[in-house]
Amino acid sequence: MNLKYNRILLKLSGEALMGEQNYGIDGDVVKFIAQEIKEVYDLGVSIGIVVGGGNIFRGVSESAKDMDRVSADYMGMLATVINSLALQNALENIGVPTRVQTAIEMRQIAEPYIRRRAMRHLEKGRVVIFGAGTGNPYFTTDTTATLRASEINAEVVLKATKVDGVYTSDPKKDLNAVKFDTVTYLDVLNRNLKVMDSTAISMCMDNKIPIIVFDLYGKGNLKKIISGEKIGTIVEG
């Protein structure tokens, strides 16, 4: 099979791991995601992953309203590590060698993030999951995804969501919302489209890394994107 992308950065929201639950991790959903990743891994694609933590704790959430923002953000980073370990376990259960690297050092459960080591893992055919965000408060996991994509020389950022692309407005609330097949970075910024935060979009624009927003729960979608099919919305140029 001809592959359009040979090295990808997959961005998963923490909410994606919840499934239909209100909180936490749905084991069946994590298994499904792991299987989707394995299909792409088996094609020889080099894969980095960033997972959010919103299913457990989010620094800007209602539950953090009385907290110091910095402390709340660090708690959110720890939530991403829990999700990273869950995904690692699911991947390794189906034979995909995986390493978790964290931006906050916690040697007993994961490696500290070191770019050269991450590159070496990718070269050896391991999936690398980047946990704990950037290690800094005030930065989202979307920004982490674009930063790590830039660092590992990923060809594309794949943002897996619960909707099938980018719309003019929220399609669940607005029946007249129109889906974009392609949209420019500047349009996303100027129209305040809810793709990623402005820091993340600007970093992709500066480094010329396209973003593809797609429906995570569409079976085979990840494999279709890798093989060049037009799935979801592409943000570029």
Side-chain angles (χ1 to χ4, degrees):
M1 179 185 287
N2 290 328
L3 303 179
K4 184 169 184 180
Y5 304 107
N6 293 292
R7 176 166 293 176
I8 64 171
L9 191 292
L10 177 63
K11 169 60 171 64
L12 299 169
S13 68
E15 286 87 344
L17 305 187
M18 289 193 306
E20 297 304 315
Q21 298 178 172
N22 295 320
Y23 175 85
I25 299 169
D26 183 323
D28 290 335
V29 170
V30 176
K31 287 177 185 175
F32 171 78
I33 294 169
Q35 195 61 52
E36 292 290 293
I37 292 168
K38 185 179 191 305
E39 286 186 7
V40 172
Y41 173 82
D42 287 343
L43 297 175
V45 177
S46 184
I47 306 168
I49 303 173
V50 170
V51 193
N55 57 320
I56 299 171
F57 189 89
R58 185 193 299 278
V60 293
S61 66
E62 185 66 22
S63 57
K65 63 181 178 180
D66 296 324
M67 290 185 183
D68 169 67
R69 170 68 189 272
V70 174
S71 297
D73 278 0
Y74 278 123
M75 290 171 68
M77 290 179 217
L78 297 179
T80 72
V81 178
I82 293 172
N83 286 338
S84 297
L85 294 175
L87 185 57
Q88 178 185 37
N89 185 69
L91 285 166
E92 295 201 328
N93 281 343
I94 55 175
V96 179
T98 309
R99 296 291 185 275
V100 173
Q101 291 197 338
T102 57
I104 298 172
E105 204 165 302
M106 43 188 85
R107 289 180 181 272
Q108 285 83 350
I109 58 173
E111 298 177 1
Y113 172 68
I114 298 170
R115 178 181 175 268
R116 284 179 177 270
R117 185 176 289 176
M119 297 293 279
R120 185 69 174 145
H121 287 320
L122 292 169
E123 288 162 6
K124 283 183 169 288
R126 297 166 185 144
V127 171
V128 183
I129 304 173
F130 302 106
T134 65
N136 302 289
Y138 297 100
F139 289 92
T140 67
T141 50
D142 281 344
T143 298
T144 305
T146 58
L147 174 62
R148 297 291 182 248
S150 303
E151 290 179 310
I152 67 171
N153 303 323
E155 297 161 355
V156 65
V157 172
L158 303 180
K159 183 172 170 65
T161 68
K162 291 184 175 181
V163 292
D164 62 347
V166 179
Y167 285 77
T168 50
S169 57
D170 187 340
K172 293 179 181 177
K173 297 177 182 176
D174 182 1
L175 295 177
N176 297 315
V178 178
K179 180 187 169 190
F180 295 100
D181 290 326
T182 61
V183 63
T184 66
Y185 303 114
L186 286 175
D187 271 345
V188 170
L189 294 171
N190 292 335
R191 299 173 68 162
N192 196 29
L193 299 174
K194 303 300 182 185
V195 179
M196 290 179 160
D197 64 88
S198 57
T199 306
I201 294 293
S202 297
M203 188 174 294
C204 278
M205 181 166 64
D206 291 345
N207 293 303
K208 297 180 173 59
I209 302 173
I211 305 162
I212 297 177
V213 181
F214 71 102
D215 177 10
L216 171 66
Y217 300 120
K219 186 165 177 58
N221 275 356
L222 198 54
K223 188 174 182 180
K224 290 173 185 174
I225 291 170
I226 296 303
S227 61
E229 283 190 46
K230 291 187 176 178
I231 301 290
T233 300
I234 184 164
V235 183
E236 60 185 353

